[in-house]
């Protein structure tokens, strides 16, 4: 941290707190999901981007690897109160994928649909952030099946249920469609620092 950063902290003008309210730290990423761990051969695996886009597309595994690769290190916060700090992910920038399919102006919301039929929803704009990626690796290792391999969404700014494992389809809609947990009372926006867990 910079000298001035330390100073501001000592004066109590900024906080060094990395845990959002109601969270405790864990040292490794737990495995959490609705219970089905789908296994898909890479040769069969597809990612579809469809709905309100000019160029709906299905990507094979090999096609995806040719797209711009990014790596990020982020703190992960789960609504069940654990946070795992400094998790490194690498994969494909979602922004570059969206540029290829060209969302239409009325397409403002996204449903993520996974191979276990799990769904979650986000505003399209949330996927354009630089820290949002489709991850195929976790802390330098290929993403294991239990953590959503071969490919999962990572949306670090939201509670982790928005980060769909085993992603299959990205659908762009004009209206917001609540996903699996959102339809069961979880918060639609899910910002950890605002403690948007339910409602
Ligand atoms: N496809 C799918 N994605 C999912 C889930 C799921 O059940 N199915 N669970 C979500 C929840 S509630 C959490 S906390 C994270 C857990 O990811 P992890 O098992 O890699 O820690 O995945 C999210 N993505
Ligand atoms: Mo979760």
């Amino acid at each position: 941290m910079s000298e001035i950063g330390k100073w501001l902290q000592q004066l109590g003008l900024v906080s060094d707190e990395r845990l959002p309210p109601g969270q405790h730290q864990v040292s490794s990423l737990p495995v959490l999901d609705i219970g089905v761990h789908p296994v898909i051969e890479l040769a069969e695996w597809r990612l579809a981007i469809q709905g309100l886009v000019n160029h709906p597309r299905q990507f094979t595994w090999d096609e995806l690897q040719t797209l711009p690769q990014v790596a990020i290190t982020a703190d992960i916060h789960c609504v069940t109160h654990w946070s795992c700090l400094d998790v490194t992910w690498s994969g494909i920038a979602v922004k570059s994928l969206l540029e290829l399919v060209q969302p239409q102006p009325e397409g403002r919301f996204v449903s993520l649909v996974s191979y276990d039929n799990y769904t979650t929803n986000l505003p399209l704009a949330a996927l354009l952030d630089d820290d949002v990626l489709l991850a195929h690796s976790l802390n330098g290792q290929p993403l294991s099946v239990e953590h959503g391999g071969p490919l999962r969404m990572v949306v670090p700014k939201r509670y982790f249920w928005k980060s769909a494992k085993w992603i299959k389809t990205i659908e762009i809609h004009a209206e917001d469609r609540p996903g699996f947990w959102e339809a069961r009372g979880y918060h639609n926006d899910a910002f950890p620092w605002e403690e948007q867990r339910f409602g």
Side-chain angles (χ1 to χ4, degrees), residues 28-38 76-80 82 89 112-120 138 143-148 152-153 159-167 180-181 186:
S28 65
L29 204 61
V31 172
L32 226 68
D33 50 60
I34 54 175
V36 185
H37 290 182
I76 297 298
H77 309 295
C78 174
V79 70
T80 63
W82 55 260
W89 305 94
L112 308 177
V113 184
S114 297
Y115 278 97
D116 61 347
N117 292 323
Y118 180 82
T119 58
T120 188
L138 163 59
L143 190 61
S144 63
V145 170
E146 63 263 35
H147 286 300
R152 78 176 296 165
M153 186 67 82
Y159 281 125
F160 208 26
W161 86 78
K162 296 281 185 183
S163 293
K165 307 204 273 191
W166 312 294
I167 189 151
F180 182 89
W181 287 118
Y186 281 52

Side-chain angles (χ1 to χ4, degrees), residues 15-30:
S15 158
D16 65 345
E17 187 53 83
R18 288 177 66 185
L19 292 177
Q23 297 296 107
H24 67 264
Q25 190 178 344
V26 295
S27 56
S28 65
L29 204 61

